Structures are given as C-alpha cells and as structure tokens.
Amino acid sequence: MQSPKYTARAHTNIALIKYWGKLDQDLIIPMNSSLSLTLDKFYTDTSVFFDSTLKQDIFRLNNKESSSLKVTHFMKVLREKTGETRFAMINSENHVPSAAGLASSASAFAALALAASRAAGLVLDSRSLSRLARRGSGSATRSIYGGFVEWQQGSDDATSYAVPFEENVAWNLSMIAVVISAKQKKISSSVGMQRVVATSPYYSAWRKTAAQDLAAMKKAIKKRDFRQVGTIAEENAMKMHALNASAHPHFSYFEPASLQVMKIVADLRSNGIFCYYTLDAGPNVKIICQNKDIQTILAALAPSFSQERLVVAGPGPGVKLIDKP
C-alpha cells in the first residue's frame, strides 16, 4: 500500500548571525540564537511517499540513489512522531552545491520535513515544522520561513525553533554568492562545531558576543541601516572562523580564493562601494550588498571569477508544497 506523494520546495538561508556549537547533539539545540536571510536562487525540491513494499527508506539525490545517515536518522524521528510504520521513497533535487558552505542541508531538510510529514498524514503548523526540520539540520529550522528569520535557542525540543523576524523584505538588499568550490568539505559542520566547543579557549566569549550581535542586528534591520547590518554580519562571521583557528587541532574553511574575494570586498568598501562578506562552514563567500551596487561588484570580481561562479540572490520565500494529491 502506497501513501499519497507530496513534493515540497524549500530555499537556503544564509546566517547573518551564526550559530556555532550544539548544546544537545541529538536534538540539535544550539549554543546560541541566530538570524538568517532566506535566499531565492538556491533551493531543494523533495518528493516523498510511503510504501508498504519497501524494506528500507530509499533516498535519491539528483536522480542517483544515495546513502545519508542524516536522512535515515531523520526518517526514524519522523516515524516516531507520526506513528507511520512504512518506509519511504524520497526523491530530492538539490539546486545548491551540496556540502560546500551554501546551506544545502537547510533547504534539504526543510523540504523533507514538509513533504514527509504530509505524506505521513500529518499537517503541522510552521512552528512544529520548524522543530521537525531542526532534527535533520540545525539551519533547516530557519528555512521554514522566508526573509529574515530568527532561530531562538531554547533549551529543549519544545522551545528551540525559528520564528519570522521579517518575512516580506521590502528592501533593496541582495547577496552575491561567489562559488569557490562545490566539493564536499573536509571537515563537516558538526565535527567542526564539536571540536571548537571542546577545545577553543574563546568559546565562552563567542556565546556572549553572539547574543550581543543578534540584538544589534535586529535593531539595524528595523532601522534599515544597511551599513550596520553588513558590518555586524561580517564581524560575526570572522569571530566564528576565529574560533576554528583557536581550536585544537586548528582548522580553516578558507581557501586562497576566499581570501581574495574578502580583499576585493574590502577594497571596494575603501572606494565607497559599501558591501560586506560572510562565510559559513565552507570556502564560498557571500557578499551582502545593495541592488544599486551589484554590477560594480560583479565587475570587480570578473577578472578573477567566471560568470557561472557568481550568483546574485535576493530575499526568498519560506517552504511550500509544489505538488500534492
């Protein structure tokens, strides 16, 4: 017996205030709250149906059968929550370079959470869906919503979830993603976080300053203070990466081209073009800018980076069903 098939689309988000470290590894409760911007250009479409003839979950990524311990674990959690006993056929199309610091897991598990819960017969409100998506990937909890989104740290499964801060962003704000590498990271986010929490002597300072950055960022967004938004985001990202440099053994997600982009951004700013960079757990750089400066920034990047490696994105929408019975 086969359940109805549901297909969901979720977009990636890029954290302006990062979370780096987990209070609870299984429940994925973060050490600090965070704030992100959902983007329109990067997304994942995922279809799910349950079938009593299947002996295990089957996961296909970009038309190839794949193995993912995170997907397996997530589906186990889903079955526990819904009472569904059948295994699932999962087909996912990822319009994001996987595991390269462009938040592919955020869109992937947000889409899976919606499609799988509906296929299991469960209609969840946004808060419950955010909590469910978090069990697959922490950043996925924010991709349930569009625009600016805050993931409230909480202390347990019931209290850790995302809330919309400003879903419809009526602001000429963009991000230029510079794809340095689409290869899988040598050190996963989870491993990097655990190492930092366990060994960095500066971790307690990170938690304190991250809370301060979050409060300042929310005020800057409300005031539409672009320069302040960019400055806070850039400094918060660099503090996160400084933790990696202070861990034992230390590690870095930067590549030479990452540093090159960061210098180009700093040079542009020195010349009156106000733009700012941020990086997650990967080498790819996201440049926060205003729409009026996009072409100038692209021109500055063009001598070093081909056009296909430069993707301009704007604020994007929350998760939604794109196909249902």
Side-chain angles (χ1 to χ4, degrees):
M1 183 178 174
Q2 183 176 308
S3 75
K5 182 175 76 170
Y6 285 83
T7 304
R9 172 173 293 174
H11 289 73
T12 65
N13 68 78
I14 298 299
L16 302 178
I17 303 299
K18 315 294 188 186
Y19 102 89
W20 199 236
K22 297 171 185 172
L23 192 65
D24 186 302
Q25 296 291 333
D26 181 53
L27 295 176
I28 312 184
I29 309 297
M31 286 284 204
N32 63 278
S33 298
S34 57
L35 189 143
S36 64
L37 179 65
T38 301
L39 300 180
D40 57 1
K41 285 294 177 71
F42 306 110
Y43 62 92
T44 301
D45 291 341
T46 298
S47 299
V48 179
F49 64 84
F50 291 90
D51 190 332
S52 58
T53 66
L54 294 176
K55 304 300 182 184
Q56 62 182 19
D57 292 321
I58 298 176
F59 174 52
R60 295 181 62 83
L61 177 61
N62 297 333
N63 295 316
K64 292 182 180 179
E65 194 161 324
S66 183
S67 176
S68 169
L69 293 176
K70 291 179 71 173
V71 170
T72 299
H73 175 71
F74 179 84
M75 294 305 294
K76 180 182 177 183
V77 170
L78 178 82
R79 277 188 283 269
E80 290 171 353
K81 287 182 176 291
T82 62
E84 175 63 66
T85 58
R86 294 169 293 182
F87 289 107
M89 174 68 73
I90 305 161
N91 285 290
S92 191
E93 292 184 12
N94 206 14
H95 299 269
V96 191
S98 296
L102 285 173
S104 59
S105 63
S107 56
F109 281 99
L112 180 58
L114 177 55
S117 60
R118 290 299 295 269
L122 193 61
V123 179
L124 298 174
D125 61 25
S126 294
R127 179 177 295 183
S128 300
L129 198 59
S130 178
R131 288 173 51 212
L132 176 60
R134 191 197 73 236
R135 299 297 300 276
S137 169
S139 55
T141 198
R142 299 186 302 245
S143 278
I144 299 303
Y145 301 100
F148 291 109
V149 184
E150 179 184 356
W151 177 10
Q152 298 178 337
Q153 175 190 1
S155 58
D156 55 22
D157 182 50
T159 57
S160 184
Y161 50 81
V163 295
F165 183 69
E166 187 179 309
E167 282 201 270
N168 300 307
V169 181
W171 194 7
N172 66 343
L173 187 73
S174 293
M175 278 195 188
I176 301 172
V178 185
V179 182
I180 305 298
S181 172
K183 296 178 181 178
Q184 188 158 339
K185 296 171 291 194
K186 292 181 180 179
I187 299 176
S188 71
S189 300
S190 294
V191 171
M193 286 184 201
Q194 289 180 49
R195 187 182 300 178
V196 161
V197 172
T199 66
S200 172
Y202 307 124
Y203 195 75
S204 60
W206 159 260
R207 293 185 69 184
K208 180 180 179 180
T209 59
Q212 294 169 347
D213 289 346
L214 176 61
M217 178 63 78
K218 291 163 74 171
K219 288 180 181 178
I221 292 171
K222 286 292 186 185
K223 290 180 180 179
R224 288 290 189 265
D225 188 337
F226 172 75
R227 295 187 192 180
Q228 188 70 354
V229 166
T231 298
I232 296 167
E234 184 173 295
E235 291 181 353
N236 181 265
M238 293 306 286
K239 281 184 277 191
M240 185 199 97
H241 286 278
L243 289 175
N244 303 336
S246 68
H248 177 73
H250 61 79
F251 62 98
S252 175
Y253 292 110
F254 296 167
E255 292 188 8
S258 309
L259 300 173
Q260 184 180 7
V261 175
M262 293 156 69
K263 184 178 185 304
I264 290 171
V265 169
D267 289 345
L268 283 165
R269 208 157 59 226
S270 296
N271 290 312
I273 304 299
F274 290 96
C275 53
Y276 305 85
Y277 55 78
T278 185
L279 299 89
D280 291 317
N284 301 310
V285 184
K286 278 71 66 175
I287 302 172
I288 307 162
C289 64
Q290 297 175 97
N291 294 349
K292 65 182 180 67
D293 295 322
I294 290 173
Q295 293 308 316
T296 301
I297 298 167
L298 291 175
L301 293 165
S304 304
F305 301 95
S306 59
Q307 187 174 348
E308 59 268 20
R309 294 171 68 186
L310 306 174
V311 184
V312 180
V319 67
K320 64 179 180 180
L321 291 173
I322 59 174
D323 188 28
K324 56 186 177 180

